[in-house]
């Protein structure tokens, strides 16, 4: 064929070592050419017959009607922003809505929606991972839970070590404005850098015994919220949420224990659990 997709062979040339990462694969149709593509596509194409495709139509219609009903109940075109316009509160959404509606608006309507979506996703996803990762540490090492229950370790110190040891966000990206050397490597203007936050948090040049979870570290800290002008807006809130949640969970469920094999979520950026079964005792 004149045109081909990126397959394992081309990935070997472009990204040597990609096969060593468990989250990466080139066995899907989007990364296959030639006979392998034809073989797997043929197996799947037979399942996409007209009869099979039409079979779930009633269920799809019911789900669509349900979602549209939810949309209609909330009001189209900004369920939440319209509510804050009518009844402002002492919160971020009301402040941003007022800024968007004011003369010489400092934020456009599109920017308003985009940033509210970002705040929702960033705040929910990352905090969920922080709570799950911390809980797994407690389940894996009961001594940690005992110290937290006894109050011998401040919850805030536990949260800081969770952020370092098992960061909810493992990587981010930056582009170099001008060319220059970084750690002895020449980086050209505009080139993208993949910043591995999780690796930085385990750097032995910064942390003693970095692969060990240690409460009360003298070298506590992490890069889990980034740095510089893009430092996470919600860092203080995430720390507060974690410090409030963990001791309350342990007090409410003193016999909390693991109840099965946890399953990590697949992915490179966010680190958390798909399943974390527990017994409340």
């Amino acid at each position: 064929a004149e045109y081909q997709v990126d397959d394992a062979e081309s990935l070997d040339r472009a990204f040597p070592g990609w096969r060593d990462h468990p989250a990466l694969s080139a066995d899907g149709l989007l990364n296959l050419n030639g006979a392998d593509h034809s073989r797997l596509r043929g197996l799947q194409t037979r399942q996409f017959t007209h009869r099979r495709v039409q079979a779930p139509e009633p269920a799809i219609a019911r789900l669509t009607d349900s979602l549209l009903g939810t949309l209609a109940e909330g009001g189209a075109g900004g369920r939440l922003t319209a509510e804050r316009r009518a009844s402002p509160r002492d919160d971020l959404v009301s402040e941003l809505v007022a800024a968007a509606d004011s003369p010489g608006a400092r934020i456009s309507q599109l920017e308003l929606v985009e940033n509210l979506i970002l705040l929702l996703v960033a705040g929910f996803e990352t905090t969920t991972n922080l709570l799950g990762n911390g809980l797994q540490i407690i389940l894996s090492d009961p001594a940690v839970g005992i110290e937290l229950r006894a109050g011998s370790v401040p919850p805030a110190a536990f949260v800081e070590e969770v952020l370092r040891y098992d960061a909810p966000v493992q990587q981010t990206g930056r582009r170099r404005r001008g060319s220059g050397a970084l750690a002895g490597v020449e980086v050209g203007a505009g080139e993208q850098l993949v910043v591995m936050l999780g690796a930085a948090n385990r750097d032995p040049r910064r942390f003693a015994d970095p692969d060990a979870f240690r409460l009360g570290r003298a070298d506590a800290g992490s890069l889990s919220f980034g740095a510089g002008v893009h430092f996470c807006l919600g860092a203080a809130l995430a720390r507060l949420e974690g410090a409030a949640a963990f001791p309350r969970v342990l007090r409410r469920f003193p016999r909390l224990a693991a109840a099965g094999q946890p399953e990590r979520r697949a992915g490179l950026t966010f680190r958390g659990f798909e399943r974390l079964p527990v017994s409340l005792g």
Side-chain angles (χ1 to χ4, degrees), residues 176 178-188:
R176 182 85 185 222
S179 60
L182 179 64
V185 177
E186 193 66 25
V187 180

Side-chain angles (χ1 to χ4, degrees), residues 133 159-171 195-214 217 219-227 239 271:
N133 293 349
V159 170
E160 284 303 307
E161 182 64 348
V162 173
L163 287 166
R164 183 202 69 82
Y165 180 79
D166 204 4
V169 178
Q170 289 283 303
Q171 69 173 27
V195 184
M196 305 304 293
L197 302 175
N201 289 340
R202 299 283 190 100
D203 188 342
R205 294 169 296 182
R206 170 63 173 82
F207 301 100
D209 198 7
D211 294 331
F213 184 87
R214 284 186 179 175
R217 278 182 171 273
D219 54 1
S222 74
L223 279 176
S224 295
F225 293 115
R239 286 181 167 121
R271 181 166 169 83

Side-chain angles (χ1 to χ4, degrees), residues 26-242:
D27 294 325
L29 285 177
L30 295 180
N31 294 105
L32 292 174
N33 293 300
D36 285 335
H37 177 264
S38 299
R39 172 175 55 85
L40 292 180
R41 186 180 180 90
L43 286 171
Q44 297 174 64
T45 298
R46 289 183 302 208
Q47 303 302 315
F48 284 83
T49 63
H50 180 76
R51 178 179 63 82
R52 285 185 178 272
V53 169
Q54 293 299 312
E57 193 275 338
I60 293 172
R62 288 194 299 270
L63 177 59
T64 302
D65 288 339
S66 174
L67 294 173
L68 292 176
T70 303
L71 179 65
E73 290 173 7
R79 298 180 277 290
L80 184 59
T81 54
E83 178 184 317
R84 290 299 192 271
R85 281 192 178 93
S87 303
R89 302 181 187 179
D90 183 18
D91 61 18
L92 176 60
V93 178
S94 298
E95 184 172 336
L96 291 180
V97 168
D101 293 345
S102 64
R106 291 178 295 156
I107 181 172
S108 70
Q109 295 296 327
L110 180 59
E111 290 171 333
L112 171 64
V113 174
E114 288 286 333
N115 282 277
L116 289 180
I117 292 172
L118 173 62
L119 287 169
L120 172 64
V121 175
F124 176 80
E125 180 85 9
T126 54
T127 303
T128 298
N129 290 342
L130 168 62
L131 297 177
N133 293 349
L135 183 57
Q136 173 60 12
I137 290 169
I138 293 171
L139 295 173
S140 301
D141 187 353
V144 173
I146 291 172
E147 290 191 70
L148 278 174
R149 285 191 181 95
S152 56
V153 173
F158 172 74
V159 170
E160 284 303 307
E161 182 64 348
V162 173
L163 287 166
R164 183 202 69 82
Y165 180 79
D166 204 4
V169 178
Q170 289 283 303
Q171 69 173 27
T172 187
R174 295 290 187 270
R175 287 194 182 274
R176 182 85 185 222
R177 268 186 160 179
S179 60
L182 179 64
V185 177
E186 193 66 25
V187 180
E191 285 192 328
Q192 186 177 35
L193 301 172
V194 178
V195 184
M196 305 304 293
L197 302 175
N201 289 340
R202 299 283 190 100
D203 188 342
R205 294 169 296 182
R206 170 63 173 82
F207 301 100
D209 198 7
D211 294 331
F213 184 87
R214 284 186 179 175
L215 293 172
R217 278 182 171 273
D219 54 1
S222 74
L223 279 176
S224 295
F225 293 115
V229 297
H230 289 285
F231 183 79
C232 176
L233 272 175
L237 179 59
R239 286 181 167 121
L240 182 149
E241 290 171 330

Side-chain angles (χ1 to χ4, degrees), residues 264-277:
R264 283 282 186 186
R265 292 180 52 189
L268 294 176
T269 300
F270 295 109
R271 181 166 169 83
F273 289 91
E274 188 71 31
R275 292 182 67 254
L276 186 58

